[in-house]
Amino acid sequence: MEQPTTDRSLSRRGMLKLAGAAGAGAGAIGAATGTASAVPTAPKGGFAHPALLHTQADFDRMAEKVKAGAQPWTDGWKRLLSSRDSATDYQPRPVATVIRGGEGANFHLLFRDAAAAYQNALRWKITGDAGHGDKARDILNAWSATLKELGGNADRYLLAGIQGYQLANAGEIMRDYDGFDLGRFQSMLVDIFYPMNDRFLVNHNDAVPSNYRANWELCTLASIIAIGGLTEDQAKIDRAVEYFKNGDGNGCVKRAVPVLHEEADGVVLGQWEESGRDQEHTMAGVGWMGALCEMAWNLGEDLYGYDDNRFMKGCEYVARYNLGKDVPYTAYSRRMGRRLPGQRGALHTEPEISEQGRGSTRPIWALIHNHYAVRRGLVVPNITAYKDKLTPEDGGGLRGGAGWSYDHLGYGTLTYTRDPEDVGATAPGAARETRTADDASGSAAGGGTRPQGGAPHDLAATGADGVLAWSAAGASALLGGLLLLRRRGRGANTPGSDA
């Protein structure tokens, strides 16, 4: 069995007894000490807003720090001000059909407008400048009045996931703004984006569940939970949470971090599902899982701490390798191909960790650091070092506006940095009634929920190239549905895939 890591926080069940709120016990890396009071909470009255990536308490903190000229918030603020997409003269370009992948691709129109809406919404919330509020409102209204469909090859599912969660977050900030057509905007996300999110989780674009890599499903889950929070749809929130815990594809955290390596000093590192592919896609998945966990936290669910901080262990692994340090690696295999009766798909193995894209500058680390190191008070040296390397974080359009730079909303130095003394008895958690703590142990039984959805039409090579591995190959091959937990000098088994 997996060797336990240090855990000095109260158990979730114990926290309920003490504080009447759901919490989660979690293992620390190394000799970390935890902040027991940092648990997601939500009032019993149901939903409160805003509560996806940012709560009102977050916006109050940003405004106070920027007004005071405090660092590093002020440097983060300057990065936002320097973005061409955050200006009040920004002109949106809505179209009826957005295509990603294949002939007629025009998805740059949507990803840039989504970033512009979010950035202008931030500037309005922090300063009260109505010019930026009006601009964010007008961008969102223009798209909800115009968009009819999303198209393209398999990449259309990435479009639905990435821009789905980004648009929902911009809409959440603007939901009460004068003139914003919230109902029409919600309908756009529910009728156009969500069906594609749902279909992808159900049918995996007509492929075997392991065909698509972790990043595909994680942006999809981020979209589902964001749309659920925006529309106060508890079923959608639960759908994303359940799939994260028990899904049959790589969006499930145990498949996204399929192998745990325990070092001689007791540190546990989580090998990421795409580490043998390249580091750009690895970090994309880390960023979308971080967004998913933050939104879940603000909706009262602790996915950050689920399965003994499995996400944290994955982040430490990825950060450590991309800082130029060595990490252990177990050969990783996945099945890929179309879903056919009686066939499991061809087995593809990645025998070595990939150096491609090593040292990527994606703006994703401030969010992760400020949860584990500040909210939780855990020692996460590699996450913190990567955060420091990128401070102040850029956002959509960074590095000259390359398309990949719009994969993440960014500006985490401004939006997520917290003073340790500012973290109170409860962490922000606003949007729904707190759950019971019965599932806090991290064990997961059964599979993800499976609502019915239409069958997609194609299977792009991009998906086949970026798919899942249920097993660790070589001497530590898949045995009885278990993936090997590697420890230098000895090994043990930890739950993995059943494929």
Side-chain angles (χ1 to χ4, degrees):
M1 294 180 64
E2 176 185 340
Q3 299 300 312
T5 52
T6 305
D7 187 350
R8 299 183 184 178
S9 62
L10 292 176
S11 69
R12 195 172 183 186
R13 194 176 298 276
M15 187 65 69
L16 279 170
K17 294 178 180 178
L18 290 174
I29 285 200
T33 56
T35 302
S37 60
V39 295
T41 61
K44 291 293 184 181
F47 288 83
H49 300 279
L52 292 180
L53 285 175
H54 316 298
T55 67
Q56 186 57 48
D58 294 331
F59 287 120
D60 291 343
R61 179 187 64 249
M62 296 176 217
E64 177 186 354
K65 298 295 187 180
V66 169
K67 183 177 181 180
Q71 293 292 6
W73 295 270
T74 297
D75 284 346
W77 173 246
K78 289 178 180 177
R79 287 295 173 95
L80 176 61
L81 298 185
S82 70
S83 170
R84 58 182 179 169
D85 298 336
S86 75
T88 55
D89 62 356
Y90 181 91
Q91 294 300 312
R93 294 179 289 172
V95 293
T97 301
V98 178
I99 298 172
R100 175 165 180 166
E103 185 177 354
N106 63 351
F107 67 107
H108 64 282
L109 301 175
L110 180 55
F111 69 56
R112 190 174 172 198
D113 281 6
Y118 173 77
Q119 292 174 26
N120 276 279
L122 282 184
R123 292 186 66 168
W124 166 64
K125 286 293 285 187
I126 293 171
T127 67
D129 186 330
H132 291 287
D134 290 351
K135 179 56 62 176
R137 174 200 63 200
D138 293 347
I139 294 171
L140 299 178
N141 279 348
W143 277 97
S144 68
T146 306
L147 184 65
K148 302 301 181 184
E149 63 179 346
L150 306 178
N153 61 22
D155 285 3
R156 68 192 184 276
Y157 292 108
L158 291 173
L159 170 66
I162 300 169
Q163 273 64 67
Y165 99 85
Q166 293 178 345
L167 287 168
N169 271 276
E172 176 73 0
I173 298 171
M174 302 304 300
R175 64 181 304 122
D176 295 324
Y177 196 84
D178 186 37
F180 175 48
D181 195 333
L182 176 62
R184 189 176 70 195
F185 184 78
Q186 290 173 324
S187 294
M188 175 188 72
L189 289 171
V190 170
D191 297 339
I192 298 174
F193 288 81
Y194 176 74
M196 293 185 67
N197 301 152
D198 177 71
R199 187 182 307 136
F200 188 71
L201 291 191
V202 173
N203 291 323
H204 309 286
N205 195 26
D206 204 26
V208 295
S210 56
N211 188 76
Y212 287 87
R213 307 306 292 250
N215 79 85
W216 288 69
E217 290 199 345
L218 290 168
C219 68
T220 298
L221 292 174
S223 179
I224 290 173
I225 201 168
I227 294 171
L230 178 74
T231 61
E232 299 189 349
D233 187 332
Q234 189 61 57
K236 289 182 174 59
I237 296 169
D238 291 344
R239 169 118 174 83
V241 169
E242 173 64 14
Y243 197 95
F244 176 87
K245 295 178 179 180
N246 300 314
D248 63 354
N250 285 337
C252 172
V253 67
K254 295 185 183 73
R255 304 185 192 280
V257 186
V259 185
L260 299 177
H261 300 271
E262 184 173 348
E263 300 288 80
D265 58 3
V267 170
V268 179
L269 299 172
Q271 181 175 313
W272 197 264
E273 190 270 332
E274 295 188 72
S275 293
R277 178 189 186 187
D278 60 56
Q279 300 309 306
E280 295 103 327
H281 288 92
T282 292
M283 282 208 191
V286 169
W288 292 324
M289 188 179 285
L292 169 65
C293 289
E294 185 69 12
M295 289 186 284
W297 181 271
N298 288 332
L299 292 165
E301 284 280 355
D302 184 10
L303 299 185
Y304 280 115
Y306 181 72
D307 197 26
D308 195 23
N309 288 327
R310 198 177 188 100
F311 176 48
M312 179 185 75
K313 295 167 185 174
C315 292
E316 274 291 285
Y317 180 95
V318 173
R320 178 169 162 176
Y321 182 67
N322 281 275
L323 286 167
K325 304 175 185 178
D326 291 336
V327 294
Y329 181 81
T330 296
Y332 178 73
S333 300
R334 59 185 175 89
R335 294 196 178 274
M336 52 190 293
R338 286 191 176 276
R339 186 194 306 264
L340 297 172
Q343 297 186 24
R344 301 173 62 197
L347 189 66
H348 171 74
T349 299
E350 293 163 346
E352 298 178 347
I353 194 167
S354 174
E355 292 191 1
Q356 182 177 328
R358 195 173 185 182
S360 174
T361 57
R362 288 178 181 262
I364 62 176
W365 294 99
L367 179 155
I368 298 165
H369 163 83
N370 276 281
H371 177 78
Y372 289 116
V374 183
R375 276 195 189 131
R376 290 293 314 284
L378 302 177
V379 176
V380 283
N382 297 296
I383 292 170
T384 299
Y386 225 95
K387 182 269 300 183
D388 291 343
K389 174 183 176 181
L390 300 181
T391 299
E393 278 187 357
D394 288 299
L398 65 95
R399 311 300 176 195
W404 68 264
S405 71
Y406 289 93
D407 285 347
H408 313 282
L409 292 170
Y411 300 108
T413 302
L414 170 66
T415 57
Y416 301 113
T417 301
R418 293 175 172 84
D419 286 326
E421 61 268 23
D422 291 341
V423 179
T426 57
R432 66 183 181 80
E433 185 174 334
T434 305
R435 290 186 175 282
T436 63
D438 293 341
D439 60 356
S441 66
S443 61
T449 56
R450 299 174 181 277
Q452 297 300 309
H457 302 294
D458 57 41
L459 179 64
T462 49
D465 179 58
V467 202
L468 159 80
W470 303 120
S471 65
S476 53
L478 179 68
L479 293 175
L482 299 180
L483 285 170
L484 183 67
L485 168 64
R486 299 278 296 183
R487 182 173 184 175
R488 292 186 178 179
R490 62 194 182 104
N493 291 327
T494 190
S497 164
D498 56 3

